[in-house]
Each structure stands twice: as C-alpha cells, then as structure tokens.
Amino acid sequence: MKAVRIANPHEMGVAEIEKPVLKAGEVLVKIKYVGFCGSDLNTYLGRNPMVKMPVVPGHEVGAVIEEVGEGVPEGFTKGMVVTLNPYTNCGNCPSCHNGRYNACEHNETLGVQRQGVMCEYAALPWQKIIPAGDIPVRSCALIEPMSVGFHAVSRAGVTDNSYVMVIGCGMVGLGAVVRSSLRGAKVIAADIDDEKLALAREAGASYTVNTMTENVHERIQEITGGRGADVVIEAVGSPVTYVMAVNEVCFTGCVTCIGYAKSEVAFQTKLFVQKELDIRGSRNATPADFRAVINSINTGKYPIEKFISKVVKPEEAADAMKEWSENPGKVFRILVEF
C-alpha cells in the first residue's frame, strides 16, 4: 500500500509498504485524511530525538472502518467514520497506576516512537478506534490536536470566573480557546500572526494580543483590570513564551504547559514563590477529551473548515512540508488525502 515516509531529515517521499493484516481484537480502517503536526515537522527537520528513521509519520486521522476482526464488541461497523487514539500505555508506570494513561511513562505515539498512519490502511486495537458520529471524515483529522488543547484546559481547572490567556493559536492552542470559551471563561488569545488571532476570535476568544506588535504586559493588565490572567496556557514551546506565561499569570494563578521548549529556559524563580503559582504539564489527551471535541464540533458553532490550511495528495506531501518548514507561522493544518 502507499505511504508517506521520512527517510532522513529533509527527505520525504512516497513509499510502498505492507498492508496490515487484521488480527483478533483489531479494526482495519481505510485512512482518508491525515494531518501534519508539529512533531512531524520536527522529524522532517531532524529535531525529533524520539524518532528512529525511516518513519511513516501521522497520527491525526479521519478514517472509515474497512473490516472488523474477531472479538471486537458490537458497535463498530463497516463504513463508520472514526478517528484514532494514537497513544499507548503500559499499565504499570506511576501514571497508569494513577489512571492518567495519557501521560504513560512508556507511551508510544503513532508516527513518533512507532510507525504512523500516513498511509492507506491501518489496523489498531478496537479500544483505539473512536467513532465520530456525523462529523465529516475530513474534519476528523482535527480532533486529536484539538483534544490536546482541551486536555490542557481540564488540567488548568478553567471555570467561568477565569481570565484564560492562550499563548499560541495553532491547532492545539485553538483547541484550548474553544474549550475555555465553552466553560464560560474570558479568553485572551496571544500570537504573532493577525490571521491566527482573527480565527481565534471566531473560535471563542474575547480578546487578542499580537505579541510582536503590542506591549503584552500592559495589554494583559488592561484586559484583566490589573490582576493578570488566572490561567495561562503555553502552546508554543519557546523560552520567550514560557517566561511570558510566568510573567502574565496572576498571583495564585495556574500556568499549564503544552509546548516543548527546544532549549533551556531561564526563569525568575522568585515569581514561582511570590505568586504561589500552580505550574502544570499537560500531555496528550484522554478519551473524554476526544469525546468533548467531537461534541463541540457537532454543535456547528466553530469554523472547523478554516482550521485546514491545505489538502494535498501523498505525492505533494514533501513540497507541502517544505513550504510549512519555511513559513511555520502561517499554517494551521495541512492534511494529506488518501
């Protein structure tokens, strides 16, 4: 079957790989759309230490069920539109013992620690197949990245009394904007790109801040009446935005971190103590987060189609990735259509 494969940094192309053989307890899906995410971009650039090349990327999926294996419970039928839970969990580590399987110490995500699903077919345990109801199969490829943002909002304990600053309005950040607004929070979207900020407003942000052209601290103080944000969700992964998060959160506020900074971050740690901050990591997503995203998309309130920057064929994937790597700030999601 046809697959997109990254052989070496900056080397991506179409390859022929074996079609998976369906086993008991598994569901075979026909992949329709797969999104490129930040981890795929880092793999392409040679900056992802968790990846062993060559690798088939991809874990943001819209698919339909092709065949159901023996021992799969009722409710999975041929032609059903689904997405995939791309994570694994060992069942033995502290995270698993605490029921937080999304943060498993030994997690292997599709397309990162194991081969991904940017290919024509995939076979997975039925527990990893998530029915998407009436959502168009193309939109299903947006569910996983949005669920990561949804999970961060849960980790932060956002309520309708919160000012929530979301730093970074890519797909994950937009997920955090949507979920925070659904919880009744007053959302402040921050990014360097005005187009992304405009889309964040459509996704539920009440305020926007261009961190390149505005004085961020003055603007946050103005919006919050001099208090600072109750919650700051960092969805970029850079030293600048990590420091910004600690600076702009209010006293006794919560900073929730999604992005991976690629270099060390120097903090004024006195702010951790003086503000008595809650600083939390947020990793991946839970099945409940996936369901919440599906419910939000089904409302029809959000401009989901605008979250898709481009749809390309497998043969065009390498050019699309190169284009994204050269101008990452202008891309929400690129989907590969099979």
Side-chain angles (χ1 to χ4, degrees), residues 37 59-61 83-87 109 140-149 172 284-285 290 293 333:
C37 86
H59 57 257
E60 303 174 358
V61 179
T83 191
L84 307 180
N85 182 330
Y87 322 121
T109 299
C140 288
L142 305 178
I143 293 172
E144 191 275 342
M146 287 185 67
S147 74
V148 176
V172 171
N284 298 333
F290 278 83
V293 172
R333 267 305 177 268

Side-chain angles (χ1 to χ4, degrees), residues 14-200:
V14 176
E16 285 293 323
I17 64 174
E18 291 293 322
K19 182 179 177 179
V21 176
L22 186 65
K23 300 175 184 176
E26 291 186 339
V27 175
L28 181 71
V29 296
K30 175 73 176 73
I31 305 295
K32 296 293 187 179
Y33 295 91
V34 187
F36 277 127
C37 86
S39 63
D40 301 326
L41 177 59
N42 285 324
T43 299
Y44 174 78
L45 294 173
R47 299 174 184 171
N48 193 338
M50 295 181 288
V51 169
K52 183 178 179 181
M53 297 189 191
V55 64
V56 175
H59 57 257
E60 303 174 358
V61 179
V64 296
I65 293 178
E66 181 78 7
E67 189 176 350
V68 177
E70 293 182 8
V72 174
E74 293 183 5
F76 297 92
T77 58
K78 183 173 181 177
M80 176 183 285
V81 175
V82 298
T83 191
L84 307 180
N85 182 330
Y87 322 121
T88 65
N89 58 279
C90 70
N92 296 314
C93 71
S95 299
C96 290
H97 279 191
N98 290 329
R100 290 163 65 175
Y101 303 108
N102 58 290
C104 174
E105 182 178 353
H106 306 292
N107 167 69
E108 294 183 352
T109 299
L110 289 170
V112 185
Q113 295 93 342
R114 57 187 169 135
Q115 295 297 310
V117 290
M118 196 166 282
C119 52
E120 293 182 280
Y121 294 92
L124 281 88
W126 65 266
Q127 296 92 336
K128 300 298 182 182
I129 308 296
I130 302 176
D134 297 327
I135 296 177
V137 67
R138 187 163 96 159
S139 298
C140 288
L142 305 178
I143 293 172
E144 191 275 342
M146 287 185 67
S147 74
V148 176
F150 271 49
H151 184 67
V153 172
S154 295
R155 289 281 293 145
V158 170
T159 73
D160 56 358
N161 290 322
S162 303
Y163 276 100
V164 179
M165 180 183 184
V166 178
I167 304 176
C169 296
M171 274 303 308
V172 171
L174 286 176
V177 169
V178 169
R179 187 56 161 165
S180 296
S181 68
L182 282 170
R183 290 192 173 195
K186 294 174 281 291
V187 183
I188 308 164
D191 200 281
I192 62 174
D193 185 82
D194 285 331
E195 291 181 22
K196 288 187 175 181
L197 292 173
L199 192 50

